[in-house]
Amino acid sequence: MTEAEQAGRPTGTTGTTGPAGANGATAVGEKSEPRGRRRIAVLLAVAAFAYLLDLGSKLFVVAQLEHHDPVQVIGTWLQLDVIRNRGAAFGIGEAMTIVFTVIASAVIVVIARIARKLYSLPWAIALGMLLGGALGNLTDRLFRSPGGLEGGVVDFIATPHFAVFNLADSAIVCGGFLIVILSFRGLDPDGTVHKD
């Protein structure tokens, strides 16, 4: 009988499937739960940062720049021009405000469900950006005029030949882009890697 068997510890934990460390090893039972909590903490921290940055920027531009001429940051290449957008990201579908509010709420629910099995740091960052952005725009839908799930989202970043957008839109796009990359690389939210 080996020392591990005498001590009652599980043997043969290297090379198993499921969430693994950098060396490919994973501990059975006791290591999995704390590792999952750490990834959820990262998701929540990224989401909070994205949300607060978006909220703060909107409060500032509404108070200082709304109903004024656009402010040139980099000539005509980058301007601050405050508008109220009742459509989706980048001004798409203004007649479907309630639909986009429901979609944003559904995205938040889906992220909460995925988070229960979250062991991947890149996925935690991607989902955090997605969650923070969705919460940022959902806050506008709920609390800005005219209210009732139809509030106008504050957009203020204007570039040539492109729709005016905000930091929440940017977080959503960056999070979605990262998720596409992770999916193509075969990395699942639980940390497993699929190789075709």
Side-chain angles (χ1 to χ4, degrees), residues 11-164:
T11 58
T13 59
T14 59
T16 60
T17 59
N23 62 359
T26 183
V28 176
E30 75 269 13
K31 296 281 187 183
S32 300
E33 193 66 26
R35 190 163 181 251
R37 282 198 296 267
R38 283 197 296 271
R39 298 305 184 254
I40 292 173
V42 171
L43 185 156
L44 294 176
V46 172
F49 178 77
Y51 176 76
L52 293 174
L53 192 62
D54 176 68
L55 180 62
S57 66
K58 288 173 179 174
L59 291 174
F60 174 79
V61 298
V62 167
Q64 301 294 326
L65 305 177
E66 193 169 28
H67 309 304
H68 291 77
D69 291 333
V71 175
Q72 293 187 349
V73 179
I74 307 176
T76 59
W77 289 99
L78 178 61
Q79 301 183 74
L80 301 181
D81 185 13
V82 181
I83 65 167
R84 299 294 181 112
N85 171 21
R86 295 182 62 194
F90 309 115
I92 300 169
E94 291 198 15
M96 302 175 64
T97 307
I98 293 180
V99 173
F100 294 127
T101 303
V102 172
I103 291 172
S105 301
V107 167
I108 293 168
V109 171
V110 169
I111 292 172
R113 291 178 62 87
I114 293 174
R116 294 184 300 176
K117 300 179 180 179
L118 186 63
Y119 290 86
S120 166
L121 179 61
W123 268 95
I125 294 171
L127 292 173
M129 288 190 288
L130 208 60
L131 179 60
L135 286 172
N137 284 340
L138 183 60
T139 299
D140 284 356
R141 302 278 187 214
L142 295 174
F143 298 109
R144 294 195 186 275
S145 176
L149 306 182
E150 296 185 350
V153 173
V154 175
D155 288 335
F156 59 92
I157 303 172
T159 57
H161 315 297
F162 198 69
V164 182

